[in-house]
Amino acid sequence: MSNSGSIGDFFQSFIQTVGVTPSALSTQSGFSAANVLDWQNPLYRYQSNATSPDQTLLLDLGASPPSYVGIYLEGLNFAACTWQANATDVWTSPSFAQSITVSVDPVTSLRRGIFFFNAAHTTQSYRYTRLLIAAGTARDDGANFKVAKFFPLVSAREVINRGEIIQTRQRPVLTNEFPAGRKEILRQGEQFVTLELPWQWMWNVALDAATDEKSTMLALATDPDTPVVICRDLNRPTEAYIMRNEANFGLSSEGVGARMPLVYRQVS
């Protein structure tokens, strides 16, 4: 669906981890390249043991690679790199190469973002995709290069934004209140984002109706154990998060319209 104007389309994608093998030019002990696929542990990361020469972090998607629209990156301590993709693990002249800038998400203060092969967000099926990180470009959080998460984005959906999306940033804390009114507040973990989508959409009760968004909305209503990458506004690709749907499936029909609330909570 085309972009609706000043507000960019809502984006959701599954992540590919099965059949993917990460590797790196150099690896610091305890910070394996495999950590970039561990979506359930946001604090796990890959870390190089050098920043010179240029470093690489590669994903091998297997002999039958999936079709994917691009990649998701999170938790980097460098601002720029070259994203490459190729059918073979020979990089003299890769089929795809693009310089990318990984900006800091203003909501969570981490470098993250989604990146596409092209403006139309059509898919490619390159077996190998990698990050080429220029020597000496680590900017913050230590001397060695760090990448927390690196996934291919598969089975993507884009939907024109509806009237209301509620984004909330939360910080887990433990609060002790004393009789005199004094409070002790202790941080208990990293901050996270939730999204609430109380969406209304076109639904026609007739079978195979020409105007019926039911299939699109059902595709967004993922199971609570399934990780997805969500970006509520593709004009802000740095505000993309690994999330899970927390809402029970519910459908309220109203003539030719319907409501289906969705609630997503950030995993990392």
Side-chain angles (χ1 to χ4, degrees):
M1 302 179 74
S2 61
N3 191 291
S4 58
S6 60
I7 299 177
D9 294 351
F10 175 86
F11 175 85
Q12 174 180 298
S13 174
F14 292 101
I15 61 177
Q16 183 74 25
T17 58
V18 176
V20 178
T21 304
S23 61
L25 181 64
S26 72
T27 304
Q28 186 169 336
S29 177
F31 297 93
S32 166
N35 288 343
V36 300
L37 299 182
D38 194 342
W39 60 270
Q40 298 189 82
N41 291 287
L43 297 182
Y44 286 15
R45 66 176 183 267
Y46 157 74
Q47 190 165 312
S48 69
N49 65 3
T51 59
S52 182
D54 296 351
Q55 298 292 299
T56 57
L57 177 61
L58 179 140
L59 301 180
D60 178 356
L61 277 59
S64 299
S67 297
Y68 56 112
V69 297
I71 59 171
Y72 171 79
L73 295 173
E74 177 184 302
L76 284 64
N77 71 333
F78 49 91
C81 63
T82 301
W83 168 34
Q84 300 176 323
N86 207 31
T88 64
D89 194 12
V90 177
W91 300 95
T92 307
S93 181
S95 298
F96 173 84
Q98 176 177 300
S99 297
I100 60 175
T101 299
V102 187
S103 301
V104 174
D105 165 29
V107 179
T108 62
S109 302
L110 288 177
R111 295 187 190 278
R112 65 169 85 238
I114 49 177
F115 302 91
F116 299 100
F117 283 115
N118 53 58
H121 304 170
T122 53
T123 60
Q124 301 289 345
S125 297
Y126 298 116
R127 174 171 178 172
Y128 299 93
T129 188
R130 74 174 190 171
L131 304 181
L132 175 63
I133 311 163
T137 56
R139 294 185 56 168
D140 38 47
D141 192 23
N144 295 330
F145 295 125
K146 300 175 182 179
V147 179
K149 300 293 170 273
F150 176 20
F151 300 114
L153 300 173
V154 299
S155 301
R157 292 272 181 171
E158 291 182 38
V159 181
I160 293 175
N161 272 342
R162 308 307 156 111
E164 184 179 25
I165 298 179
I166 303 168
Q167 177 174 296
T168 305
R169 183 182 67 182
Q170 295 177 278
R171 174 82 73 180
V173 296
L174 176 64
T175 302
N176 293 321
E177 297 190 26
F178 296 88
R182 185 173 66 88
K183 290 184 180 181
E184 288 183 348
I185 300 177
L186 302 175
R187 182 184 300 181
Q188 295 295 299
E190 295 301 313
Q191 62 188 8
F192 61 91
V193 170
T194 60
L195 294 176
E196 296 180 46
L197 290 67
W199 279 2
Q200 296 182 342
W201 44 282
M202 293 299 297
W203 178 43
N204 194 318
V205 295
L207 186 64
D208 298 325
T211 302
D212 191 345
E213 298 176 318
K214 183 177 180 179
S215 61
T216 298
M217 299 305 294
L218 288 175
L220 298 180
T222 51
D223 294 330
D225 61 339
T226 303
V228 289
V229 168
I230 299 289
C231 182
R232 71 182 185 94
D233 180 351
L234 279 179
N235 289 328
R236 297 175 177 268
T238 59
E239 295 181 32
Y241 309 102
I242 305 171
M243 311 189 89
R244 287 187 283 203
N245 182 19
E246 291 197 328
N248 292 322
F249 173 77
L251 175 64
S252 175
S253 58
E254 303 168 343
V256 294
R259 290 180 295 159
M260 189 174 69
L262 301 170
V263 179
Y264 297 94
R265 178 184 169 116
Q266 182 185 355
V267 177
S268 63

